[in-house]
Protein backbone atom coordinates (compact mmCIF):
# COMPACT_ATOMS: atom_id res chain seq x y z
CA UNK A 1 0.00 0.00 0.00
CA UNK A 2 1.44 3.39 -0.97
CA UNK A 3 1.83 5.96 1.79
CA UNK A 4 0.28 9.42 1.44
CA UNK A 5 2.90 12.08 0.57
CA UNK A 6 3.66 14.45 3.47
CA UNK A 7 1.62 17.65 3.55
CA UNK A 8 3.58 20.79 2.69
CA UNK A 9 3.19 23.36 5.48
CA UNK A 10 4.62 26.87 5.73
CA UNK A 11 6.00 27.22 9.25
CA UNK A 12 9.39 28.87 8.52
CA UNK A 13 10.22 30.50 5.18
CA UNK A 14 13.74 29.06 5.16
CA UNK A 15 12.28 25.52 5.24
CA UNK A 16 11.30 26.08 1.60
CA UNK A 17 14.04 25.51 -0.97
CA UNK A 18 15.47 28.83 -2.14
CA UNK A 19 14.04 28.24 -5.62
CA UNK A 20 10.53 27.84 -4.15
CA UNK A 21 10.86 31.20 -2.38
CA UNK A 22 12.01 32.82 -5.64
CA UNK A 23 9.08 31.18 -7.45
CA UNK A 24 6.65 32.51 -4.81
CA UNK A 25 8.10 36.00 -5.22
CA UNK A 26 7.83 35.77 -9.03
CA UNK A 27 4.24 34.57 -8.68
CA UNK A 28 3.51 37.46 -6.27
CA UNK A 29 4.82 39.94 -8.85
CA UNK A 30 2.72 38.36 -11.61
CA UNK A 31 -0.39 38.46 -9.41
CA UNK A 32 0.35 42.08 -8.47
CA UNK A 33 0.59 43.06 -12.16
CA UNK A 34 -2.47 41.01 -13.21
CA UNK A 35 -4.74 40.55 -10.16
CA UNK A 36 -7.55 38.90 -12.15
CA UNK A 37 -5.35 36.20 -13.65
CA UNK A 38 -5.54 33.68 -10.82
CA UNK A 39 -8.65 32.04 -9.37
CA UNK A 40 -9.42 29.90 -6.33
CA UNK A 41 -13.13 29.49 -6.91
CA UNK A 42 -14.67 27.03 -4.49
CA UNK A 43 -11.60 26.97 -2.20
CA UNK A 44 -11.63 27.97 1.47
CA UNK A 45 -9.00 29.07 3.96
CA UNK A 46 -9.66 28.74 7.69
CA UNK A 47 -7.90 31.36 9.82
CA UNK A 48 -7.57 30.93 13.57
CA UNK A 49 -6.30 33.88 15.59
CA UNK A 50 -5.19 33.24 19.15
CA UNK A 51 -4.09 36.92 19.39
CA UNK A 52 -4.79 40.13 17.52
CA UNK A 53 -3.91 41.13 13.98
CA UNK A 54 -4.75 43.92 11.57
CA UNK A 55 -2.66 43.32 8.44
CA UNK A 56 -2.41 39.53 8.43
CA UNK A 57 -6.11 38.99 8.88
CA UNK A 58 -7.29 41.76 6.54
CA UNK A 59 -4.79 40.93 3.78
CA UNK A 60 -5.54 37.18 3.87
CA UNK A 61 -9.28 37.82 3.87
CA UNK A 62 -9.03 40.33 0.99
CA UNK A 63 -6.66 37.99 -0.88
CA UNK A 64 -9.01 35.03 -0.71
CA UNK A 65 -12.05 37.13 -1.62
CA UNK A 66 -10.26 38.67 -4.63
CA UNK A 67 -9.20 35.20 -5.79
CA UNK A 68 -12.83 34.09 -5.75
CA UNK A 69 -12.43 31.86 -2.70
CA UNK A 70 -13.79 32.09 0.82
CA UNK A 71 -12.26 32.62 4.25
CA UNK A 72 -13.50 31.54 7.65
CA UNK A 73 -12.06 33.68 10.46
CA UNK A 74 -12.19 32.45 14.02
CA UNK A 75 -10.95 34.33 17.07
CA UNK A 76 -9.92 32.29 20.08
CA UNK A 77 -11.34 34.84 22.50
CA UNK A 78 -14.90 34.55 21.17
CA UNK A 79 -15.40 31.91 18.48
CA UNK A 80 -14.21 28.53 19.75
CA UNK A 81 -13.27 26.55 22.78
CA UNK A 82 -9.98 26.72 24.59
CA UNK A 83 -7.93 23.89 23.10
CA UNK A 84 -5.88 21.26 24.91
CA UNK A 85 -2.45 20.48 23.47
CA UNK A 86 -1.09 17.93 25.96
CA UNK A 87 -0.88 14.46 24.39
CA UNK A 88 -2.40 11.45 26.14
CA UNK A 89 -3.60 13.31 29.21
CA UNK A 90 -6.97 13.08 30.94
CA UNK A 91 -8.86 16.19 29.81
CA UNK A 92 -10.37 17.22 33.14
CA UNK A 93 -9.06 20.82 33.00
CA UNK A 94 -10.59 23.94 31.49
CA UNK A 95 -10.15 22.96 27.80
CA UNK A 96 -13.10 20.96 26.41
CA UNK A 97 -11.55 20.16 23.01
CA UNK A 98 -8.16 18.89 21.84
CA UNK A 99 -6.21 20.61 19.07
CA UNK A 100 -5.96 17.19 17.37
CA UNK A 101 -9.72 17.04 16.98
CA UNK A 102 -10.13 20.70 15.98
CA UNK A 103 -7.43 20.31 13.31
CA UNK A 104 -8.92 17.07 11.97
CA UNK A 105 -12.45 18.51 11.73
CA UNK A 106 -11.42 21.86 10.22
CA UNK A 107 -9.34 19.97 7.63
CA UNK A 108 -12.60 18.52 6.33
CA UNK A 109 -14.09 22.01 5.81
CA UNK A 110 -11.22 24.04 4.31
CA UNK A 111 -8.31 23.60 1.89
CA UNK A 112 -5.73 25.52 3.93
CA UNK A 113 -5.50 26.33 7.65
CA UNK A 114 -3.74 29.52 8.77
CA UNK A 115 -2.86 29.88 12.45
CA UNK A 116 -1.60 32.75 14.61
CA UNK A 117 -0.81 30.96 17.88
CA UNK A 118 -0.91 32.55 21.32
CA UNK A 119 2.33 33.44 23.10
CA UNK A 120 2.64 32.13 26.64
CA UNK A 121 4.70 35.23 27.44
CA UNK A 122 6.10 33.72 30.66
CA UNK A 123 9.16 31.75 29.58
CA UNK A 124 11.25 32.13 26.42
CA UNK A 125 12.52 28.57 26.87
CA UNK A 126 8.92 27.37 26.45
CA UNK A 127 7.67 29.86 23.84
CA UNK A 128 10.71 29.35 21.61
CA UNK A 129 9.69 25.70 21.08
CA UNK A 130 6.75 26.94 18.94
CA UNK A 131 4.76 23.90 20.09
CA UNK A 132 1.31 25.20 19.20
CA UNK A 133 2.02 25.78 15.52
CA UNK A 134 3.82 22.41 15.40
CA UNK A 135 0.71 20.74 16.87
CA UNK A 136 -1.51 22.19 14.15
CA UNK A 137 0.93 21.03 11.49
CA UNK A 138 1.08 17.55 13.05
CA UNK A 139 -2.67 17.03 13.22
CA UNK A 140 -4.04 18.95 10.22
CA UNK A 141 -4.82 17.06 7.03
CA UNK A 142 -4.38 20.20 4.88
CA UNK A 143 -1.45 22.65 4.60
CA UNK A 144 -0.90 24.82 7.69
CA UNK A 145 0.36 28.39 7.27
CA UNK A 146 2.09 30.08 10.20
CA UNK A 147 0.63 33.58 10.62
CA UNK A 148 3.33 34.47 13.24
CA UNK A 149 4.49 32.20 16.01
CA UNK A 150 6.94 33.11 18.79
CA UNK A 151 9.94 32.50 16.53
CA UNK A 152 8.88 32.96 12.91
CA UNK A 153 6.70 35.14 10.65
CA UNK A 154 7.17 33.65 7.16
CA UNK A 155 4.37 35.71 5.58
CA UNK A 156 5.96 38.98 6.70
CA UNK A 157 9.34 37.87 5.33
CA UNK A 158 7.83 37.05 1.97
CA UNK A 159 6.31 40.55 1.72
CA UNK A 160 9.61 42.02 2.95
CA UNK A 161 11.60 40.16 0.28
CA UNK A 162 9.23 41.32 -2.46
CA UNK A 163 9.52 44.92 -1.23
CA UNK A 164 13.33 44.66 -1.10
CA UNK A 165 13.46 43.18 -4.61
CA UNK A 166 11.15 45.86 -6.02
CA UNK A 167 13.23 48.61 -4.40
CA UNK A 168 16.79 47.37 -4.84
CA UNK A 169 16.64 44.96 -7.77
CA UNK A 170 19.00 42.00 -7.29
CA UNK A 171 19.72 41.70 -3.56
CA UNK A 172 23.22 40.21 -3.72
CA UNK A 173 25.62 42.25 -1.57
CA UNK A 174 23.01 44.90 -0.80
CA UNK A 175 23.19 46.06 2.83
CA UNK A 176 20.30 45.69 5.26
CA UNK A 177 20.34 47.23 8.76
CA UNK A 178 17.83 45.85 11.26
CA UNK A 179 17.55 48.36 14.10
CA UNK A 180 15.88 47.69 17.45
CA UNK A 181 13.37 50.35 18.44
CA UNK A 182 12.08 51.21 21.87
CA UNK A 183 8.41 50.35 22.34
CA UNK A 184 6.43 49.88 25.57
CA UNK A 185 4.62 47.06 23.77
CA UNK A 186 7.56 45.27 22.15
CA UNK A 187 6.80 42.68 19.50
CA UNK A 188 8.10 39.13 19.57
CA UNK A 189 11.36 38.60 17.67
CA UNK A 190 9.54 36.58 14.97
CA UNK A 191 9.72 39.27 12.27
CA UNK A 192 13.39 39.95 12.98
CA UNK A 193 14.34 36.27 13.08
CA UNK A 194 12.60 35.49 9.80
CA UNK A 195 13.98 38.57 8.05
CA UNK A 196 17.52 37.91 9.27
CA UNK A 197 17.59 34.41 7.77
CA UNK A 198 15.61 35.26 4.62
CA UNK A 199 17.66 38.33 3.74
CA UNK A 200 20.99 36.58 4.38
CA UNK A 201 19.93 33.64 2.19
CA UNK A 202 18.77 36.06 -0.53
CA UNK A 203 22.31 37.49 -0.71
CA UNK A 204 22.13 40.53 1.54
CA UNK A 205 24.74 41.54 4.09
CA UNK A 206 22.77 42.03 7.30
CA UNK A 207 23.72 44.09 10.35
CA UNK A 208 21.58 44.06 13.48
CA UNK A 209 21.67 46.92 15.99
CA UNK A 210 20.32 46.53 19.49
CA UNK A 211 21.18 47.52 23.06
CA UNK A 212 22.80 45.04 25.40
CA UNK A 213 20.16 42.66 26.77
CA UNK A 214 18.26 42.42 23.47
CA UNK A 215 20.39 39.69 21.87
CA UNK A 216 18.46 37.39 19.57
CA UNK A 217 17.92 33.70 20.28
CA UNK A 218 21.20 31.71 20.15
CA UNK A 219 19.86 29.04 17.78
CA UNK A 220 18.44 31.68 15.43
CA UNK A 221 21.86 33.37 15.37
CA UNK A 222 23.60 30.04 14.66
CA UNK A 223 21.18 29.33 11.82
CA UNK A 224 21.74 32.83 10.43
CA UNK A 225 25.52 32.36 10.54
CA UNK A 226 25.20 28.98 8.80
CA UNK A 227 22.90 30.38 6.09
CA UNK A 228 25.17 33.39 5.56
CA UNK A 229 28.22 31.13 5.16
CA UNK A 230 26.46 29.06 2.50
CA UNK A 231 25.13 32.18 0.74
CA UNK A 232 28.48 34.01 0.91
CA UNK A 233 26.96 36.88 2.85
CA UNK A 234 27.66 38.41 6.27
CA UNK A 235 25.60 38.72 9.44
CA UNK A 236 26.76 41.01 12.24
CA UNK A 237 24.79 41.58 15.44
CA UNK A 238 25.02 43.69 18.59
CA UNK A 239 26.01 46.88 16.74
CA UNK A 240 25.08 50.47 17.53
CA UNK A 241 22.37 51.94 15.31
CA UNK A 242 24.89 54.28 13.69
CA UNK A 243 27.33 51.46 12.84
CA UNK A 244 24.58 49.24 11.47
CA UNK A 245 23.04 51.96 9.31
CA UNK A 246 26.36 53.25 7.93
CA UNK A 247 26.26 52.50 4.18
CA UNK A 248 22.97 50.54 4.43
CA UNK A 249 20.55 50.51 1.51
CA UNK A 250 17.57 49.66 3.72
CA UNK A 251 16.93 50.26 7.42
CA UNK A 252 14.37 47.92 8.97
CA UNK A 253 13.00 49.18 12.29
CA UNK A 254 11.56 46.71 14.77
CA UNK A 255 11.03 46.40 18.51
CA UNK A 256 11.46 43.06 20.18
CA UNK A 257 11.40 41.71 23.70
CA UNK A 258 14.64 40.91 25.49
CA UNK A 259 15.15 37.25 26.30
CA UNK A 260 16.75 37.89 29.72
CA UNK A 261 13.66 39.67 31.09
CA UNK A 262 11.08 37.74 29.03
CA UNK A 263 8.02 37.15 31.22
CA UNK A 264 9.05 39.85 33.71
CA UNK A 265 7.20 43.05 32.70
CA UNK A 266 8.63 45.12 35.57
CA UNK A 267 12.25 44.31 34.74
CA UNK A 268 11.50 44.66 31.06
CA UNK A 269 10.00 48.16 31.51
CA UNK A 270 12.90 49.37 33.67
CA UNK A 271 15.46 48.04 31.18
CA UNK A 272 13.65 49.68 28.28
CA UNK A 273 13.40 52.99 30.15
CA UNK A 274 17.22 53.12 30.22
CA UNK A 275 17.47 52.70 26.46
CA UNK A 276 17.04 56.21 25.12
CA UNK A 277 17.70 57.25 21.54
CA UNK A 278 16.56 54.05 19.80
CA UNK A 279 14.28 55.91 17.40
CA UNK A 280 14.74 56.13 13.64
CA UNK A 281 15.12 59.77 12.59
CA UNK A 282 16.42 61.60 9.54
CA UNK A 283 19.89 62.10 11.07
CA UNK A 284 20.27 58.32 11.44
CA UNK A 285 18.86 57.61 7.97
CA UNK A 286 21.42 59.99 6.44
CA UNK A 287 24.18 57.58 7.55
CA UNK A 288 22.91 55.09 4.97
CA UNK A 289 23.40 54.91 1.21
CA UNK A 290 20.24 56.80 0.17
CA UNK A 291 18.61 54.43 2.66
CA UNK A 292 14.94 53.44 2.59
CA UNK A 293 12.94 52.58 5.69
CA UNK A 294 10.88 49.46 6.32
CA UNK A 295 8.77 48.41 9.31
CA UNK A 296 6.35 45.47 9.57
CA UNK A 297 3.83 47.60 11.57
CA UNK A 298 2.15 48.46 13.85
CA UNK A 299 4.45 51.50 14.30
CA UNK A 300 4.56 53.80 17.31
CA UNK A 301 5.08 57.18 15.65
CA UNK A 302 7.67 59.50 17.18
CA UNK A 303 8.75 56.73 19.52
CA UNK A 304 10.04 54.10 17.06
CA UNK A 305 10.13 56.27 13.92
CA UNK A 306 9.75 60.04 13.52
CA UNK A 307 6.82 61.33 11.47
CA UNK A 308 9.37 62.99 9.17
CA UNK A 309 10.90 59.66 8.12
CA UNK A 310 7.71 57.60 8.23
CA UNK A 311 5.80 60.07 6.01
CA UNK A 312 8.80 61.02 3.87
CA UNK A 313 10.23 59.77 0.58
CA UNK A 314 12.44 57.16 2.28
CA UNK A 315 9.51 55.19 3.67
CA UNK A 316 8.48 51.89 2.09
CA UNK A 317 6.18 51.07 4.99
CA UNK A 318 2.81 51.26 3.23
CA UNK A 319 4.17 49.57 0.08
CA UNK A 320 5.51 46.79 2.30
CA UNK A 321 2.10 46.40 4.00
CA UNK A 322 0.42 46.31 0.57
CA UNK A 323 2.75 43.51 -0.48
CA UNK A 324 1.24 41.32 2.23
CA UNK A 325 -1.82 41.11 -0.05
CA UNK A 326 0.07 40.10 -3.20
CA UNK A 327 2.44 37.65 -1.53
CA UNK A 328 -0.35 35.96 0.45
CA UNK A 329 -2.33 35.50 -2.76
CA UNK A 330 0.72 33.67 -4.09
CA UNK A 331 0.85 31.54 -0.92
CA UNK A 332 -2.85 30.70 -1.25
CA UNK A 333 -2.45 29.74 -4.91
CA UNK A 334 0.61 27.58 -4.21
CA UNK A 335 -0.59 25.89 -1.02
CA UNK A 336 -4.06 25.19 -2.40
CA UNK A 337 -2.37 23.11 -5.07
CA UNK A 338 -0.10 21.07 -2.83
N1 LIG B 1 2.89 42.78 10.46
C1 LIG B 1 1.83 42.08 10.92
O1 LIG B 1 1.83 40.84 10.95
O2 LIG B 1 0.76 42.85 11.28
P1 LIG B 1 -0.47 42.33 12.13
O3 LIG B 1 0.09 41.87 13.46
O4 LIG B 1 -1.39 43.51 12.26
O5 LIG B 1 -1.12 41.17 11.42
Amino acid sequence: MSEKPPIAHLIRLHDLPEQDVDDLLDLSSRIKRRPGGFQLNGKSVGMLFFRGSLRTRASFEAAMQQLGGHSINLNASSDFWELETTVGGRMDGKSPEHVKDAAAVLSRYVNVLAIRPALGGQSWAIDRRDEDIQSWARYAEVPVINMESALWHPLQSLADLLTLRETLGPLRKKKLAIVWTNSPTPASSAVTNSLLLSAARAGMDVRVAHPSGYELDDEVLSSAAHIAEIAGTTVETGLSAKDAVSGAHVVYARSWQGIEDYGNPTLSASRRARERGWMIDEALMRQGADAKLMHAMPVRRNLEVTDEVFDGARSLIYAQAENRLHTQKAVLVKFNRT
Side-chain angles (χ1 to χ4, degrees):
M1 205 169 72
S2 67
E3 280 192 20
K4 275 198 209 168
I7 300 166
H9 302 296
L10 180 54
I11 307 299
R12 314 185 303 179
L13 195 60
H14 60 283
D15 287 338
L16 294 184
E18 201 177 347
Q19 187 59 53
D20 286 15
V21 175
D22 282 343
D23 290 348
L24 269 173
L25 293 170
D26 291 344
L27 180 59
S28 305
S29 298
R30 288 205 302 282
I31 291 173
K32 188 172 180 175
R33 281 196 302 274
R34 200 164 62 87
F38 298 84
Q39 288 297 312
L40 288 176
N41 295 331
K43 301 284 190 180
S44 297
V45 58
M47 291 191 273
L48 279 77
F49 287 93
F50 292 81
R51 58 198 159 95
S53 162
L54 188 148
R55 276 144 294 275
T56 306
R57 174 173 171 168
S59 54
F60 243 147
E61 209 171 317
M64 203 54 178
Q65 195 261 338
Q66 289 171 22
L67 289 166
H70 180 69
S71 58
I72 297 169
N73 305 307
L74 301 172
N75 284 304
S77 55
S78 54
D79 298 335
F80 57 95
W81 323 117
E82 191 155 327
L83 299 175
E84 180 61 59
T85 53
T86 310
V87 179
R90 179 176 147 91
M91 283 178 52
D92 58 357
K94 58 186 176 177
S95 308
E97 181 156 27
H98 201 283
V99 64
K100 177 176 183 173
D101 306 316
V105 170
L106 289 170
S107 297
R108 292 166 192 228
Y109 302 153
V110 299
N111 305 94
V112 171
L113 270 172
I115 312 290
R116 176 170 280 191
L119 298 179
Q122 303 296 315
S123 155
W124 179 245
I126 293 173
D127 283 0
R128 73 169 311 289
R129 293 185 208 142
D130 263 356
E131 281 176 352
D132 286 1
I133 192 74
Q134 302 294 348
S135 293
W136 283 93
R138 184 176 319 119
Y139 298 126
E141 292 156 19
V142 294
V144 169
I145 310 294
N146 179 2
M147 294 196 292
E148 190 184 4
S149 61
L151 268 178
W152 309 110
H153 197 345
L155 298 175
Q156 184 64 53
S157 279
L158 208 52
D160 292 346
L161 286 176
L162 182 64
T163 311
L164 287 164
R165 262 179 32 164
E166 289 174 342
T167 307
L168 302 175
L171 298 182
R172 177 137 292 277
K173 287 294 157 192
K174 297 284 171 33
K175 292 181 171 42
L176 171 68
I178 303 174
V179 179
W180 182 88
T181 50
N182 198 339
S183 166
T185 47
S188 80
S189 57
V191 166
T192 308
N193 298 336
S194 291
L195 175 67
L196 180 62
L197 272 61
S198 302
R201 189 164 78 155
M204 300 189 83
D205 290 331
V206 188
R207 294 186 195 143
V208 186
H210 59 77
S212 171
Y214 292 89
E215 289 74 19
L216 295 168
D217 182 89
D218 280 344
E219 283 185 34
V220 170
L221 291 176
S222 308
S223 299
H226 181 64
I227 282 175
E229 192 180 346
I230 292 168
T233 58
T234 58
V235 167
E236 295 171 78
T237 59
L239 303 177
S240 68
K242 198 172 163 194
D243 285 348
V245 171
S246 175
H249 299 100
V250 170
V251 176
Y252 198 114
R254 188 67 177 171
S255 70
W256 64 83
Q257 280 182 281
I259 291 175
E260 284 173 28
D261 45 2
Y262 196 88
N264 187 335
T266 310
L267 193 59
S268 176
S270 69
R271 188 192 289 267
R272 264 199 332 273
R274 290 197 298 273
E275 300 303 345
R276 305 198 183 280
W278 289 88
M279 177 169 70
I280 310 295
D281 59 13
E282 182 56 28
L284 179 65
M285 293 300 292
R286 274 200 292 269
Q287 307 294 317
D290 190 22
K292 304 292 186 203
L293 176 72
M294 293 175 68
H295 191 301
M297 303 181 89
V299 182
R300 284 183 178 263
R301 284 175 173 263
N302 302 310
L303 195 66
E304 295 186 81
V305 181
T306 61
D307 278 344
E308 183 188 12
V309 180
F310 190 152
D311 296 327
R314 295 182 184 280
S315 177
L316 302 173
I317 294 175
Y318 292 160
Q320 180 186 357
E322 182 195 322
N323 278 339
R324 296 292 303 271
L325 176 70
H326 310 300
T327 48
Q328 282 160 217
K329 281 184 182 171
V331 166
L332 287 166
V333 168
K334 177 178 162 56
F335 283 83
N336 265 288
R337 283 189 188 141
T338 52

